[in-house]
Amino acid sequence: MFGMVRPCSHRLTESLKAQWMAHLCGLCLALRGDHGQLARLVTNYDGLLISVLTEAQAEQAAGLRRTAGPCALRGMRTASVAQGEGARLAAAVSLVLASAKVRDHVADGDGLLARRPVALAARRVATNWSRAGARSGSAVGFDTAVLVDAVDRQIGIEALAGPGTPLLTVTEPTETATATAFAYTAVLAGRPGNAEPLAEAGRLFGRLAHLLDAVEDREADAAAGAWNPLTATGTSLLEARRLADGALHGIRLALREVRFTDAKLVHMLLVHELGRSVDRAFGTVPVCSAHQPGPYGQPQQPGSGPHGPAQHGAHDPYGGGNPYAGSGNPFAGGGGSHGGGGSGGFGGGPAPQPPRGRRGFWAGCGMFWLLCCTCKLCCAKEYEGPWSRKKREGCCRDCDCDACDCCCP
């Protein structure tokens, strides 16, 4: 599993958690149903947003769910899962963008992909995924050529980028691809008036995806001598954070213009959880928003978390009216200075240790199963990626609630 928007189950109500899982399983099953078991590898947290947006705009709820059979990842339980055009569009977008990611890793010679036989096999898989995505997109009337064109332009732009190149020039292809996908959800839902604001939200979401990936990989890319947008363009972390905060605010403004049938899950994912994803990438997520220092090192008052009082019940964003109509800047916080020198980034913590080398394929496979069997993938506060050795967080442990009762201490 990969992606920016990884909500903690402790911050979701039972209803929202069930909806989120329905879309996640729906994407996975749409990939398997149309393209076979291997295609399920591209299931990701961000791709399911396409399915979420489509359903949130739909006027008729009938036919949007089905009961899926037992699955090992659900403890061999059945479940209600999303189906229909939204899930298929999400599958198409996930396949095309995963294909692009594989080709990018091949071009960079990452890990085992530096070996010619492995690289040839990976290119073949990427080509098959791209064609499969085109077929799925065509089935719902979506032309994936825009996504493919964006991927092709990305390679050329990166080759020409250097010190002084605006960072937004590098992120533009990703922005264009995600804007197109977000806007098409309005067409599927029968809400053409939503296409323009959703395109804007998608454009900014794509910008964030590119920015946060660059921030998280900066140290590892520097150690490996790999290309990184921030390093190549000479962009500082301070400037990257400014762009990220601006994109977050822009997404919130764009969503105000969208007419939803049920906006609760969209609001939770694209307002609250996306903001936490930015904090996580820059290392500024507080353990408890009521008692820990804020994102920029200053103490927060109770009920003044990174997204305002809504997280602590001061007002209910879903209680009526437009859930995006708030007052003030939701991303405003204490001033503080950003970490510099040897501080290792934001928050003034100790300097990060240089990353160790990647594990080999078989060693990584063994570590992956060890992490699965010991629940560390979902519950550990921090663990090393099985192949990359990058520091990661268990998907259920990144929680700022007052009482966490995850299965592992």
Side-chain angles (χ1 to χ4, degrees):
M1 292 296 299
F2 57 95
M4 289 191 298
V5 187
R6 309 194 300 269
C8 173
S9 61
H10 294 86
R11 291 193 302 274
L12 297 177
T13 64
E14 286 301 316
S15 174
L16 291 180
K17 182 179 178 181
Q19 288 184 51
W20 185 76
M21 287 299 300
H23 288 287
L24 185 61
C25 293
L27 170 58
C28 181
L29 293 175
L31 287 164
R32 185 199 67 180
D34 290 344
H35 309 293
Q37 294 286 357
L38 184 62
R40 300 172 81 178
L41 290 173
V42 308
T43 304
N44 65 95
Y45 295 122
D46 297 342
L48 69 86
L49 289 172
I50 301 297
S51 179
V52 170
L53 285 169
T54 304
E55 183 174 288
Q57 299 171 77
E59 295 184 7
Q60 299 294 329
L64 297 179
R65 291 282 192 275
R66 71 179 179 88
T67 300
C71 174
L73 298 178
R74 292 193 299 267
M76 299 308 296
R77 294 188 297 268
T78 60
S80 175
V81 302
Q83 66 170 352
E85 293 183 328
R88 298 188 76 181
L89 176 61
V93 172
S94 296
L95 282 164
V96 173
L97 297 184
S99 167
K101 196 173 186 70
V102 170
R103 286 202 296 268
D104 185 55
H105 285 307
V106 170
D108 292 342
D110 292 338
L112 284 176
L113 296 176
R115 301 178 183 178
R116 184 175 177 81
V118 179
L120 289 174
R123 285 195 188 97
R124 183 168 183 175
V125 169
T127 300
N128 290 339
W129 279 349
S130 182
R131 290 172 180 168
R135 290 196 301 271
S136 282
S138 178
V140 295
F142 180 70
D143 187 0
T144 60
V146 176
L147 307 185
V148 175
D149 175 69
V151 170
D152 292 340
R153 286 190 297 108
Q154 185 74 55
I155 297 172
I157 289 173
E158 290 183 359
L160 296 174
T165 300
L167 185 59
L168 297 188
T169 299
V170 180
T171 64
E172 181 274 325
T174 307
E175 294 179 20
T176 300
T178 50
T180 304
F182 272 45
Y184 198 73
T185 64
V187 177
L188 292 182
R191 301 260 194 174
N194 287 344
E196 186 174 344
L198 282 175
E200 176 66 6
R203 182 179 68 81
L204 295 172
F205 184 86
R207 177 180 300 178
L208 274 177
H210 207 128
L211 276 174
L212 300 193
D213 186 62
V215 170
E216 291 178 341
D217 291 348
R218 192 171 65 101
E219 299 282 351
D221 287 344
W227 194 90
N228 183 281
L230 300 181
T231 305
T233 61
T235 304
S236 67
L237 280 177
L238 182 63
E239 174 64 9
R241 181 65 195 242
R242 186 188 70 80
L243 291 172
D245 285 343
L248 281 173
H249 189 53
I251 288 172
R252 183 166 184 149
L253 293 176
L255 291 177
R256 290 181 183 178
E257 307 301 320
V258 180
R259 291 183 57 199
F260 290 111
T261 303
D262 183 355
K264 292 180 182 178
L265 184 58
V266 173
H267 182 88
M268 176 60 73
L269 296 178
L270 287 179
V271 176
H272 292 290
E273 295 301 333
L274 190 54
R276 287 187 60 83
S277 297
V278 172
D279 287 337
R280 184 166 52 239
F282 285 93
T284 59
V285 173
V287 175
C288 173
S289 59
H291 302 99
Q292 296 297 321
Y296 298 101
Q298 294 192 359
Q300 298 187 87
Q301 297 300 319
S304 62
H307 303 289
Q311 284 189 321
H312 299 278
H315 72 272
D316 181 2
Y318 316 121
N322 191 329
Y324 308 103
S327 61
N329 184 350
F331 308 107
S337 60
H338 297 283
S343 66
F346 299 88
Q353 297 300 314
R356 290 182 284 174
R358 294 175 60 91
R359 288 190 180 92
F361 177 75
W362 293 113
C365 287
M367 181 56 66
F368 173 80
W369 287 114
L370 178 62
L371 291 170
C372 283
C373 294
T374 57
C375 293
K376 289 186 180 294
L377 284 179
C378 65
C379 300
K381 187 65 179 176
E382 186 176 79
Y383 66 90
E384 282 189 348
W387 286 278
S388 66
R389 289 185 183 269
K390 293 178 184 175
K391 294 297 183 183
R392 306 202 182 277
E393 297 172 339
C395 58
C396 294
R397 280 302 297 266
D398 181 22
C399 176
D400 65 354
C401 54
D402 293 328
C404 249
D405 57 349
C406 294
C407 58
C408 292

